[in-house]
Amino acid sequence: MLSADYYNLLIGQGYGPFTGVPCALVKGLISHVEEAGDSRYFIASSEGEAMGIAGGLALAGRTPVVMMQNDGYGNAINPLSSLQLVYHLPALLLITWRAEPGAKPDAIQHHLMGETLMRLLDTFNIPHRLIEDDLRISEEQLRQAKSYLDSEGKPFALIVRRGIFSDGPRSSSKADPAKPIRLDYINVLAEEVGESSILLGTTGFTGRELQQAIDRPGTFYTAGSMGCIGSLGLGIATENSDRIIYVLDGDGALLMKMGTLATIGHYQPANLVHILFDNGQYESTGGQPTVSRSTNFTMVAEGCGYAGTEIVDDLAAFRKFIQAHRNFDGPVLCHVKVQPGTLPDLKRPSDGPVELRDQFRNFLGIHG
Ligand SMILES: Cc1ncc(C[n+]2csc(CCOP(=O)(O)OP(=O)(O)O)c2C)c(N)n1
């Protein structure tokens, strides 16, 4: 089914505005909503926040649509349980089904949510249907959902399986071959950081690039737990005060849990170097914009107590920053303004999460 046709059905039945956090399975649909260009799509920094926006829209008399990955349903549960379901505020949830049991194998971080999604919805008494690859059925489904939303005033979920929307996203921004991409910066890190240092990569392309490009012990990356790389770094940093911890973050991920800047600033880990790769988008899910262009990250970090910050947009300045902060003078933040782009053959790591954990602990000298 074409996203444009589905979008027209939604609009035709009075749904909207839209909000959410992207998943690659709805990248075409998000593109269509964004391109409608009349502020119908609110870029939320987390799915929980999207539920808040939807709650406000519903209070204001609208029928909001919230798009999210099943991973993000975890973030949505708190406001769902204590906002939408308590105040009876309608919302149509479009939830993508990563790691659907029996379907094509999917990344490990999706397995538990893939297996339990329907049960989680049932536990909350949220009615749910699978979207069918058929416009006529979809039209009827949306009509039934709307009638539930209007009469009950509570959320209704439609589940998006892989391949339901057949079109891709709009063409992503052209990479300028003269300008460095994130991987070029990661390669500088590989040259500059000491052997005892630790490198942590956020979910999505960053962590995968880190695993693929830097063949050294002492690296760890999170698949999933989006936004948690900074707090994970804080936990490691406090237990390893003799090592420098490099936290490789993304703009989407940092925005999702921006409170982490305040927590790090409060605890002042002198050995934490926070590197923010800001490409202005959720590149790993199809290049949808984040709100980073209107956010001054260095100012926020400074306001939260970071000892130093810098904005860089070339490799020489980045190298200088890394060289200048090897002396446990953190926490410091390097805001790297980078253009999108990754390896054409970017792989998912062959090591499983438990192997990765054990290798990392081994590097730290923790055995058994
Ligand atoms: C809670 C949650 N919501 C959504 C996703 C889907 N997701 C995976 S990576 C990613 C984009 C991350 O964006 P950013 O941190 O800016 O890094 P980039 O992809 O641009 O390198 C998203 C939305 C997820 N894994 N978890």
Side-chain angles (χ1 to χ4, degrees), residues 21-24 47 69 71-73 75 109-110 182 202-206 224-226 249-254 256 277 279-285 290:
V21 177
C23 170
E47 293 81 358
Q69 188 174 87
D71 238 15
Y73 184 67
N75 279 342
Q109 69 269 25
H110 300 297
R182 188 179 39 235
T202 184
T203 190
F205 291 171
T206 305
S225 59
M226 184 171 160
D249 221 335
D251 50 314
L254 181 57
M256 185 168 274
F277 290 121
N279 52 17
Q281 53 178 253
Y282 297 104
E283 187 181 358
S284 309
T285 50
T290 66

PDB file of all heavy atoms in Angstrom, residues 21-24 47 69 71-73 75 109-110 182 202-206 224-226 249-254 256 277 279-285 290, ligand 1:
ATOM      1  N   VAL A  21       7.915   9.373  17.131  1.00  0.00           N
ATOM      2  CA  VAL A  21       9.350   9.187  16.910  1.00  0.00           C
ATOM      3  C   VAL A  21       9.450   8.142  15.801  1.00  0.00           C
ATOM      4  O   VAL A  21       8.718   7.158  15.823  1.00  0.00           O
ATOM      5  CB  VAL A  21      10.055   8.685  18.193  1.00  0.00           C
ATOM      6  CG1 VAL A  21      11.533   8.430  17.947  1.00  0.00           C
ATOM      7  CG2 VAL A  21       9.870   9.682  19.333  1.00  0.00           C
ATOM      8  N   PRO A  22      10.340   8.365  14.812  1.00  0.00           N
ATOM      9  CA  PRO A  22      10.294   7.492  13.645  1.00  0.00           C
ATOM     10  C   PRO A  22      10.755   6.052  13.845  1.00  0.00           C
ATOM     11  O   PRO A  22      11.521   5.744  14.744  1.00  0.00           O
ATOM     12  CB  PRO A  22      11.221   8.189  12.644  1.00  0.00           C
ATOM     13  CG  PRO A  22      11.859   9.314  13.322  1.00  0.00           C
ATOM     14  CD  PRO A  22      11.289   9.466  14.683  1.00  0.00           C
ATOM     15  N   CYS A  23      10.225   5.219  12.962  1.00  0.00           N
ATOM     16  CA  CYS A  23      10.713   3.849  12.762  1.00  0.00           C
ATOM     17  C   CYS A  23      10.832   3.702  11.256  1.00  0.00           C
ATOM     18  O   CYS A  23      10.022   4.271  10.508  1.00  0.00           O
ATOM     19  CB  CYS A  23       9.707   2.842  13.312  1.00  0.00           C
ATOM     20  SG  CYS A  23      10.113   1.133  12.835  1.00  0.00           S
ATOM     21  N   ALA A  24      11.812   2.939  10.811  1.00  0.00           N
ATOM     22  CA  ALA A  24      12.023   2.778   9.369  1.00  0.00           C
ATOM     23  C   ALA A  24      10.783   2.208   8.670  1.00  0.00           C
ATOM     24  O   ALA A  24      10.556   2.474   7.489  1.00  0.00           O
ATOM     25  CB  ALA A  24      13.242   1.884   9.130  1.00  0.00           C
ATOM     26  N   GLU A  47       8.752   8.949  22.721  1.00  0.00           N
ATOM     27  CA  GLU A  47       7.372   8.496  22.529  1.00  0.00           C
ATOM     28  C   GLU A  47       6.506   8.914  23.709  1.00  0.00           C
ATOM     29  O   GLU A  47       5.306   9.145  23.562  1.00  0.00           O
ATOM     30  CB  GLU A  47       7.334   6.979  22.336  1.00  0.00           C
ATOM     31  CG  GLU A  47       7.990   6.480  21.050  1.00  0.00           C
ATOM     32  CD  GLU A  47       9.511   6.378  21.121  1.00  0.00           C
ATOM     33  OE1 GLU A  47      10.082   6.732  22.183  1.00  0.00           O
ATOM     34  OE2 GLU A  47      10.131   5.949  20.135  1.00  0.00           O
ATOM     35  N   GLN A  69       7.729   3.048  17.065  1.00  0.00           N
ATOM     36  CA  GLN A  69       8.199   1.673  16.939  1.00  0.00           C
ATOM     37  C   GLN A  69       7.764   0.922  18.199  1.00  0.00           C
ATOM     38  O   GLN A  69       7.582   1.538  19.242  1.00  0.00           O
ATOM     39  CB  GLN A  69       9.726   1.744  16.880  1.00  0.00           C
ATOM     40  CG  GLN A  69      10.415   0.467  16.574  1.00  0.00           C
ATOM     41  CD  GLN A  69      11.916   0.717  16.399  1.00  0.00           C
ATOM     42  OE1 GLN A  69      12.662   0.709  17.365  1.00  0.00           O
ATOM     43  NE2 GLN A  69      12.343   0.962  15.176  1.00  0.00           N
ATOM     44  N   ASP A  71       9.561  -0.737  20.094  1.00  0.00           N
ATOM     45  CA  ASP A  71      10.570  -0.385  21.091  1.00  0.00           C
ATOM     46  C   ASP A  71      10.136   0.864  21.870  1.00  0.00           C
ATOM     47  O   ASP A  71      10.314   0.949  23.084  1.00  0.00           O
ATOM     48  CB  ASP A  71      11.873  -0.017  20.364  1.00  0.00           C
ATOM     49  CG  ASP A  71      13.030  -0.885  20.797  1.00  0.00           C
ATOM     50  OD1 ASP A  71      12.783  -1.925  21.424  1.00  0.00           O
ATOM     51  OD2 ASP A  71      14.177  -0.522  20.482  1.00  0.00           O
ATOM     52  N   GLY A  72       9.590   1.817  21.150  1.00  0.00           N
ATOM     53  CA  GLY A  72       9.189   3.089  21.753  1.00  0.00           C
ATOM     54  C   GLY A  72       7.902   2.986  22.545  1.00  0.00           C
ATOM     55  O   GLY A  72       7.577   3.881  23.330  1.00  0.00           O
ATOM     56  N   TYR A  73       7.157   1.902  22.339  1.00  0.00           N
ATOM     57  CA  TYR A  73       5.934   1.718  23.124  1.00  0.00           C
ATOM     58  C   TYR A  73       6.273   1.702  24.611  1.00  0.00           C
ATOM     59  O   TYR A  73       5.509   2.166  25.444  1.00  0.00           O
ATOM     60  CB  TYR A  73       5.224   0.431  22.690  1.00  0.00           C
ATOM     61  CG  TYR A  73       3.904   0.226  23.380  1.00  0.00           C
ATOM     62  CD1 TYR A  73       2.833   1.070  23.144  1.00  0.00           C
ATOM     63  CD2 TYR A  73       3.732  -0.808  24.306  1.00  0.00           C
ATOM     64  CE1 TYR A  73       1.624   0.903  23.800  1.00  0.00           C
ATOM     65  CE2 TYR A  73       2.529  -0.986  24.962  1.00  0.00           C
ATOM     66  CZ  TYR A  73       1.481  -0.125  24.710  1.00  0.00           C
ATOM     67  OH  TYR A  73       0.288  -0.289  25.364  1.00  0.00           O
ATOM     68  N   ASN A  75       8.423   3.561  26.077  1.00  0.00           N
ATOM     69  CA  ASN A  75       8.454   4.959  26.545  1.00  0.00           C
ATOM     70  C   ASN A  75       7.050   5.539  26.673  1.00  0.00           C
ATOM     71  O   ASN A  75       6.823   6.476  27.431  1.00  0.00           O
ATOM     72  CB  ASN A  75       9.230   5.836  25.554  1.00  0.00           C
ATOM     73  CG  ASN A  75      10.724   5.745  25.734  1.00  0.00           C
ATOM     74  OD1 ASN A  75      11.202   5.304  26.773  1.00  0.00           O
ATOM     75  ND2 ASN A  75      11.476   6.172  24.724  1.00  0.00           N
ATOM     76  N   GLN A 109      17.517  -6.457  19.802  1.00  0.00           N
ATOM     77  CA  GLN A 109      16.898  -5.542  20.769  1.00  0.00           C
ATOM     78  C   GLN A 109      15.388  -5.476  20.631  1.00  0.00           C
ATOM     79  O   GLN A 109      14.700  -4.966  21.511  1.00  0.00           O
ATOM     80  CB  GLN A 109      17.499  -4.123  20.659  1.00  0.00           C
ATOM     81  CG  GLN A 109      17.173  -3.353  19.403  1.00  0.00           C
ATOM     82  CD  GLN A 109      18.201  -3.557  18.307  1.00  0.00           C
ATOM     83  OE1 GLN A 109      18.892  -4.573  18.287  1.00  0.00           O
ATOM     84  NE2 GLN A 109      18.309  -2.607  17.388  1.00  0.00           N
ATOM     85  N   HIS A 110      14.868  -5.979  19.501  1.00  0.00           N
ATOM     86  CA  HIS A 110      13.414  -5.906  19.291  1.00  0.00           C
ATOM     87  C   HIS A 110      12.690  -7.172  19.749  1.00  0.00           C
ATOM     88  O   HIS A 110      11.457  -7.206  19.753  1.00  0.00           O
ATOM     89  CB  HIS A 110      13.114  -5.687  17.802  1.00  0.00           C
ATOM     90  CG  HIS A 110      13.703  -4.416  17.262  1.00  0.00           C
ATOM     91  ND1 HIS A 110      13.327  -3.175  17.722  1.00  0.00           N
ATOM     92  CD2 HIS A 110      14.655  -4.197  16.331  1.00  0.00           C
ATOM     93  CE1 HIS A 110      14.018  -2.241  17.072  1.00  0.00           C
ATOM     94  NE2 HIS A 110      14.831  -2.844  16.234  1.00  0.00           N
ATOM     95  N   ARG A 182      30.359  10.940   9.900  1.00  0.00           N
ATOM     96  CA  ARG A 182      30.595  10.481  11.291  1.00  0.00           C
ATOM     97  C   ARG A 182      31.747   9.476  11.370  1.00  0.00           C
ATOM     98  O   ARG A 182      32.585   9.529  12.273  1.00  0.00           O
ATOM     99  CB  ARG A 182      29.289   9.864  11.800  1.00  0.00           C
ATOM    100  CG  ARG A 182      29.211   9.486  13.238  1.00  0.00           C
ATOM    101  CD  ARG A 182      27.831   8.915  13.513  1.00  0.00           C
ATOM    102  NE  ARG A 182      27.382   8.089  12.409  1.00  0.00           N
ATOM    103  CZ  ARG A 182      26.230   8.257  11.747  1.00  0.00           C
ATOM    104  NH1 ARG A 182      25.370   9.146  12.135  1.00  0.00           N
ATOM    105  NH2 ARG A 182      25.911   7.482  10.723  1.00  0.00           N
ATOM    106  N   THR A 202      26.146   4.968  20.714  1.00  0.00           N
ATOM    107  CA  THR A 202      24.688   4.979  20.833  1.00  0.00           C
ATOM    108  C   THR A 202      24.038   4.059  19.794  1.00  0.00           C
ATOM    109  O   THR A 202      24.685   3.603  18.845  1.00  0.00           O
ATOM    110  CB  THR A 202      24.139   6.418  20.681  1.00  0.00           C
ATOM    111  OG1 THR A 202      22.727   6.415  20.890  1.00  0.00           O
ATOM    112  CG2 THR A 202      24.403   6.965  19.291  1.00  0.00           C
ATOM    113  N   THR A 203      22.748   3.828  19.995  1.00  0.00           N
ATOM    114  CA  THR A 203      22.001   2.920  19.113  1.00  0.00           C
ATOM    115  C   THR A 203      21.910   3.462  17.684  1.00  0.00           C
ATOM    116  O   THR A 203      21.973   4.665  17.465  1.00  0.00           O
ATOM    117  CB  THR A 203      20.587   2.669  19.686  1.00  0.00           C
ATOM    118  OG1 THR A 203      19.968   1.622  18.956  1.00  0.00           O
ATOM    119  CG2 THR A 203      19.702   3.890  19.592  1.00  0.00           C
ATOM    120  N   GLY A 204      21.795   2.558  16.733  1.00  0.00           N
ATOM    121  CA  GLY A 204      21.704   2.965  15.328  1.00  0.00           C
ATOM    122  C   GLY A 204      23.068   2.896  14.659  1.00  0.00           C
ATOM    123  O   GLY A 204      23.948   2.131  15.061  1.00  0.00           O
ATOM    124  N   PHE A 205      23.253   3.733  13.658  1.00  0.00           N
ATOM    125  CA  PHE A 205      24.470   3.654  12.844  1.00  0.00           C
ATOM    126  C   PHE A 205      25.751   3.888  13.661  1.00  0.00           C
ATOM    127  O   PHE A 205      26.780   3.286  13.395  1.00  0.00           O
ATOM    128  CB  PHE A 205      24.416   4.682  11.701  1.00  0.00           C
ATOM    129  CG  PHE A 205      23.390   4.383  10.642  1.00  0.00           C
ATOM    130  CD1 PHE A 205      23.097   5.324   9.646  1.00  0.00           C
ATOM    131  CD2 PHE A 205      22.708   3.172  10.617  1.00  0.00           C
ATOM    132  CE1 PHE A 205      22.154   5.061   8.658  1.00  0.00           C
ATOM    133  CE2 PHE A 205      21.762   2.895   9.638  1.00  0.00           C
ATOM    134  CZ  PHE A 205      21.478   3.853   8.658  1.00  0.00           C
ATOM    135  N   THR A 206      25.697   4.800  14.643  1.00  0.00           N
ATOM    136  CA  THR A 206      26.919   5.159  15.377  1.00  0.00           C
ATOM    137  C   THR A 206      27.546   3.924  16.035  1.00  0.00           C
ATOM    138  O   THR A 206      28.737   3.659  15.862  1.00  0.00           O
ATOM    139  CB  THR A 206      26.612   6.219  16.455  1.00  0.00           C
ATOM    140  OG1 THR A 206      25.990   7.324  15.819  1.00  0.00           O
ATOM    141  CG2 THR A 206      27.871   6.682  17.157  1.00  0.00           C
ATOM    142  N   GLY A 224      19.348  -0.506  20.753  1.00  0.00           N
ATOM    143  CA  GLY A 224      18.154  -0.227  21.564  1.00  0.00           C
ATOM    144  C   GLY A 224      18.514   0.669  22.733  1.00  0.00           C
ATOM    145  O   GLY A 224      19.548   1.352  22.710  1.00  0.00           O
ATOM    146  N   SER A 225      17.673   0.680  23.750  1.00  0.00           N
ATOM    147  CA  SER A 225      17.783   1.585  24.920  1.00  0.00           C
ATOM    148  C   SER A 225      18.199   2.985  24.470  1.00  0.00           C
ATOM    149  O   SER A 225      19.129   3.589  25.010  1.00  0.00           O
ATOM    150  CB  SER A 225      18.732   1.036  25.987  1.00  0.00           C
ATOM    151  OG  SER A 225      20.024   0.825  25.490  1.00  0.00           O
ATOM    152  N   MET A 226      17.463   3.472  23.464  1.00  0.00           N
ATOM    153  CA  MET A 226      17.818   4.747  22.835  1.00  0.00           C
ATOM    154  C   MET A 226      17.857   5.882  23.871  1.00  0.00           C
ATOM    155  O   MET A 226      16.932   6.051  24.657  1.00  0.00           O
ATOM    156  CB  MET A 226      16.790   5.066  21.734  1.00  0.00           C
ATOM    157  CG  MET A 226      17.124   6.312  20.958  1.00  0.00           C
ATOM    158  SD  MET A 226      16.011   6.456  19.529  1.00  0.00           S
ATOM    159  CE  MET A 226      16.190   8.188  19.190  1.00  0.00           C
ATOM    160  N   ASP A 249      27.339   9.956  21.038  1.00  0.00           N
ATOM    161  CA  ASP A 249      25.886  10.123  21.107  1.00  0.00           C
ATOM    162  C   ASP A 249      25.350  10.628  19.769  1.00  0.00           C
ATOM    163  O   ASP A 249      26.113  11.106  18.916  1.00  0.00           O
ATOM    164  CB  ASP A 249      25.575  11.157  22.204  1.00  0.00           C
ATOM    165  CG  ASP A 249      24.382  10.765  23.053  1.00  0.00           C
ATOM    166  OD1 ASP A 249      23.540  10.013  22.555  1.00  0.00           O
ATOM    167  OD2 ASP A 249      24.289  11.236  24.207  1.00  0.00           O
ATOM    168  N   GLY A 250      24.036  10.550  19.592  1.00  0.00           N
ATOM    169  CA  GLY A 250      23.386  11.110  18.408  1.00  0.00           C
ATOM    170  C   GLY A 250      22.425  12.214  18.842  1.00  0.00           C
ATOM    171  O   GLY A 250      21.989  12.225  20.003  1.00  0.00           O
ATOM    172  N   ASP A 251      22.085  13.120  17.942  1.00  0.00           N
ATOM    173  CA  ASP A 251      21.186  14.214  18.337  1.00  0.00           C
ATOM    174  C   ASP A 251      19.816  13.676  18.733  1.00  0.00           C
ATOM    175  O   ASP A 251      19.236  14.096  19.749  1.00  0.00           O
ATOM    176  CB  ASP A 251      21.089  15.309  17.264  1.00  0.00           C
ATOM    177  CG  ASP A 251      20.793  14.780  15.879  1.00  0.00           C
ATOM    178  OD1 ASP A 251      21.425  13.797  15.444  1.00  0.00           O
ATOM    179  OD2 ASP A 251      19.923  15.353  15.198  1.00  0.00           O
ATOM    180  N   GLY A 252      19.304  12.705  17.962  1.00  0.00           N
ATOM    181  CA  GLY A 252      17.991  12.147  18.300  1.00  0.00           C
ATOM    182  C   GLY A 252      18.029  11.460  19.651  1.00  0.00           C
ATOM    183  O   GLY A 252      17.122  11.613  20.477  1.00  0.00           O
ATOM    184  N   ALA A 253      19.099  10.711  19.891  1.00  0.00           N
ATOM    185  CA  ALA A 253      19.221   9.955  21.143  1.00  0.00           C
ATOM    186  C   ALA A 253      19.402  10.893  22.331  1.00  0.00           C
ATOM    187  O   ALA A 253      18.774  10.714  23.377  1.00  0.00           O
ATOM    188  CB  ALA A 253      20.391   8.988  21.046  1.00  0.00           C
ATOM    189  N   LEU A 254      20.235  11.923  22.165  1.00  0.00           N
ATOM    190  CA  LEU A 254      20.449  12.845  23.292  1.00  0.00           C
ATOM    191  C   LEU A 254      19.168  13.616  23.603  1.00  0.00           C
ATOM    192  O   LEU A 254      18.801  13.804  24.764  1.00  0.00           O
ATOM    193  CB  LEU A 254      21.615  13.807  22.987  1.00  0.00           C
ATOM    194  CG  LEU A 254      21.941  14.806  24.103  1.00  0.00           C
ATOM    195  CD1 LEU A 254      22.257  14.103  25.419  1.00  0.00           C
ATOM    196  CD2 LEU A 254      23.114  15.699  23.719  1.00  0.00           C
ATOM    197  N   MET A 256      16.258  12.562  23.239  1.00  0.00           N
ATOM    198  CA  MET A 256      15.284  11.660  23.873  1.00  0.00           C
ATOM    199  C   MET A 256      15.442  11.646  25.391  1.00  0.00           C
ATOM    200  O   MET A 256      14.459  11.506  26.117  1.00  0.00           O
ATOM    201  CB  MET A 256      15.428  10.251  23.306  1.00  0.00           C
ATOM    202  CG  MET A 256      14.382   9.285  23.806  1.00  0.00           C
ATOM    203  SD  MET A 256      14.339   7.732  22.911  1.00  0.00           S
ATOM    204  CE  MET A 256      13.271   8.111  21.531  1.00  0.00           C
ATOM    205  N   PHE A 277      27.324  13.528  17.843  1.00  0.00           N
ATOM    206  CA  PHE A 277      27.301  13.587  16.375  1.00  0.00           C
ATOM    207  C   PHE A 277      25.919  14.088  15.950  1.00  0.00           C
ATOM    208  O   PHE A 277      24.940  13.340  15.998  1.00  0.00           O
ATOM    209  CB  PHE A 277      27.588  12.207  15.772  1.00  0.00           C
ATOM    210  CG  PHE A 277      29.007  11.764  15.968  1.00  0.00           C
ATOM    211  CD1 PHE A 277      29.308  10.590  16.642  1.00  0.00           C
ATOM    212  CD2 PHE A 277      30.051  12.530  15.471  1.00  0.00           C
ATOM    213  CE1 PHE A 277      30.619  10.191  16.822  1.00  0.00           C
ATOM    214  CE2 PHE A 277      31.374  12.141  15.643  1.00  0.00           C
ATOM    215  CZ  PHE A 277      31.653  10.970  16.328  1.00  0.00           C
ATOM    216  N   ASN A 279      23.700  15.213  13.120  1.00  0.00           N
ATOM    217  CA  ASN A 279      23.456  15.303  11.676  1.00  0.00           C
ATOM    218  C   ASN A 279      22.079  15.892  11.399  1.00  0.00           C
ATOM    219  O   ASN A 279      21.609  15.890  10.257  1.00  0.00           O
ATOM    220  CB  ASN A 279      23.598  13.916  11.016  1.00  0.00           C
ATOM    221  CG  ASN A 279      22.750  12.869  11.725  1.00  0.00           C
ATOM    222  OD1 ASN A 279      21.846  13.229  12.481  1.00  0.00           O
ATOM    223  ND2 ASN A 279      23.016  11.602  11.497  1.00  0.00           N
ATOM    224  N   GLY A 280      21.408  16.342  12.456  1.00  0.00           N
ATOM    225  CA  GLY A 280      20.108  17.004  12.289  1.00  0.00           C
ATOM    226  C   GLY A 280      18.974  16.053  11.973  1.00  0.00           C
ATOM    227  O   GLY A 280      17.861  16.485  11.663  1.00  0.00           O
ATOM    228  N   GLN A 281      19.259  14.758  12.069  1.00  0.00           N
ATOM    229  CA  GLN A 281      18.203  13.815  11.678  1.00  0.00           C
ATOM    230  C   GLN A 281      18.316  12.478  12.409  1.00  0.00           C
ATOM    231  O   GLN A 281      19.333  12.177  13.026  1.00  0.00           O
ATOM    232  CB  GLN A 281      18.230  13.581  10.168  1.00  0.00           C
ATOM    233  CG  GLN A 281      19.573  13.179   9.612  1.00  0.00           C
ATOM    234  CD  GLN A 281      19.522  12.905   8.102  1.00  0.00           C
ATOM    235  OE1 GLN A 281      19.594  11.762   7.693  1.00  0.00           O
ATOM    236  NE2 GLN A 281      19.404  13.941   7.287  1.00  0.00           N
ATOM    237  N   TYR A 282      17.234  11.713  12.305  1.00  0.00           N
ATOM    238  CA  TYR A 282      17.229  10.321  12.750  1.00  0.00           C
ATOM    239  C   TYR A 282      17.696   9.515  11.545  1.00  0.00           C
ATOM    240  O   TYR A 282      16.889   8.913  10.832  1.00  0.00           O
ATOM    241  CB  TYR A 282      15.818   9.894  13.141  1.00  0.00           C
ATOM    242  CG  TYR A 282      15.191  10.634  14.303  1.00  0.00           C
ATOM    243  CD1 TYR A 282      14.213  11.608  14.096  1.00  0.00           C
ATOM    244  CD2 TYR A 282      15.549  10.331  15.614  1.00  0.00           C
ATOM    245  CE1 TYR A 282      13.611  12.266  15.160  1.00  0.00           C
ATOM    246  CE2 TYR A 282      14.952  10.985  16.689  1.00  0.00           C
ATOM    247  CZ  TYR A 282      13.987  11.946  16.460  1.00  0.00           C
ATOM    248  OH  TYR A 282      13.394  12.589  17.513  1.00  0.00           O
ATOM    249  N   GLU A 283      18.983   9.535  11.325  1.00  0.00           N
ATOM    250  CA  GLU A 283      19.499   8.937  10.086  1.00  0.00           C
ATOM    251  C   GLU A 283      19.241   7.433  10.026  1.00  0.00           C
ATOM    252  O   GLU A 283      18.916   6.893   8.963  1.00  0.00           O
ATOM    253  CB  GLU A 283      21.011   9.215   9.988  1.00  0.00           C
ATOM    254  CG  GLU A 283      21.601   8.774   8.673  1.00  0.00           C
ATOM    255  CD  GLU A 283      23.096   9.025   8.564  1.00  0.00           C
ATOM    256  OE1 GLU A 283      23.695   9.582   9.511  1.00  0.00           O
ATOM    257  OE2 GLU A 283      23.656   8.658   7.528  1.00  0.00           O
ATOM    258  N   SER A 284      19.360   6.775  11.169  1.00  0.00           N
ATOM    259  CA  SER A 284      19.257   5.310  11.176  1.00  0.00           C
ATOM    260  C   SER A 284      17.864   4.814  10.815  1.00  0.00           C
ATOM    261  O   SER A 284      17.695   3.639  10.474  1.00  0.00           O
ATOM    262  CB  SER A 284      19.642   4.760  12.544  1.00  0.00           C
ATOM    263  OG  SER A 284      20.869   5.282  12.963  1.00  0.00           O
ATOM    264  N   THR A 285      16.847   5.667  10.923  1.00  0.00           N
ATOM    265  CA  THR A 285      15.489   5.219  10.589  1.00  0.00           C
ATOM    266  C   THR A 285      14.962   5.879   9.324  1.00  0.00           C
ATOM    267  O   THR A 285      13.760   5.851   9.070  1.00  0.00           O
ATOM    268  CB  THR A 285      14.511   5.491  11.753  1.00  0.00           C
ATOM    269  OG1 THR A 285      14.655   6.860  12.158  1.00  0.00           O
ATOM    270  CG2 THR A 285      14.778   4.581  12.917  1.00  0.00           C
ATOM    271  N   THR A 290      15.303  15.814  13.219  1.00  0.00           N
ATOM    272  CA  THR A 290      15.107  15.977  14.665  1.00  0.00           C
ATOM    273  C   THR A 290      14.898  17.479  14.905  1.00  0.00           C
ATOM    274  O   THR A 290      14.961  18.268  13.954  1.00  0.00           O
ATOM    275  CB  THR A 290      16.347  15.522  15.462  1.00  0.00           C
ATOM    276  OG1 THR A 290      17.423  16.424  15.154  1.00  0.00           O
ATOM    277  CG2 THR A 290      16.759  14.100  15.115  1.00  0.00           C
TER     278      THR A 290
HETATM  279  C1  LIG B   1      12.667   4.191  22.164  1.00  0.00           C
HETATM  280  C2  LIG B   1      13.045   4.051  20.719  1.00  0.00           C
HETATM  281  N1  LIG B   1      12.382   4.773  19.795  1.00  0.00           N
HETATM  282  C3  LIG B   1      12.715   4.669  18.487  1.00  0.00           C
HETATM  283  C4  LIG B   1      13.727   3.830  18.103  1.00  0.00           C
HETATM  284  C5  LIG B   1      14.079   3.685  16.626  1.00  0.00           C
HETATM  285  N2  LIG B   1      15.387   4.287  16.353  1.00  0.00           N
HETATM  286  C6  LIG B   1      16.537   3.573  16.282  1.00  0.00           C
HETATM  287  S1  LIG B   1      17.849   4.478  15.904  1.00  0.00           S
HETATM  288  C7  LIG B   1      16.916   5.871  15.773  1.00  0.00           C
HETATM  289  C8  LIG B   1      17.495   7.173  15.338  1.00  0.00           C
HETATM  290  C9  LIG B   1      18.563   7.703  16.250  1.00  0.00           C
HETATM  291  O1  LIG B   1      18.811   9.027  15.869  1.00  0.00           O
HETATM  292  P1  LIG B   1      20.153   9.761  16.258  1.00  0.00           P
HETATM  293  O2  LIG B   1      20.455   9.516  17.683  1.00  0.00           O
HETATM  294  O3  LIG B   1      20.063  11.164  15.821  1.00  0.00           O
HETATM  295  O4  LIG B   1      21.268   8.987  15.438  1.00  0.00           O
HETATM  296  P2  LIG B   1      21.417   8.799  13.837  1.00  0.00           P
HETATM  297  O5  LIG B   1      20.492   7.725  13.469  1.00  0.00           O
HETATM  298  O6  LIG B   1      21.113  10.102  13.182  1.00  0.00           O
HETATM  299  O7  LIG B   1      22.845   8.385  13.665  1.00  0.00           O
HETATM  300  C10 LIG B   1      15.576   5.610  16.072  1.00  0.00           C
HETATM  301  C11 LIG B   1      14.488   6.610  16.055  1.00  0.00           C
HETATM  302  C12 LIG B   1      14.386   3.100  19.112  1.00  0.00           C
HETATM  303  N3  LIG B   1      15.387   2.260  18.860  1.00  0.00           N
HETATM  304  N4  LIG B   1      14.025   3.225  20.396  1.00  0.00           N
END
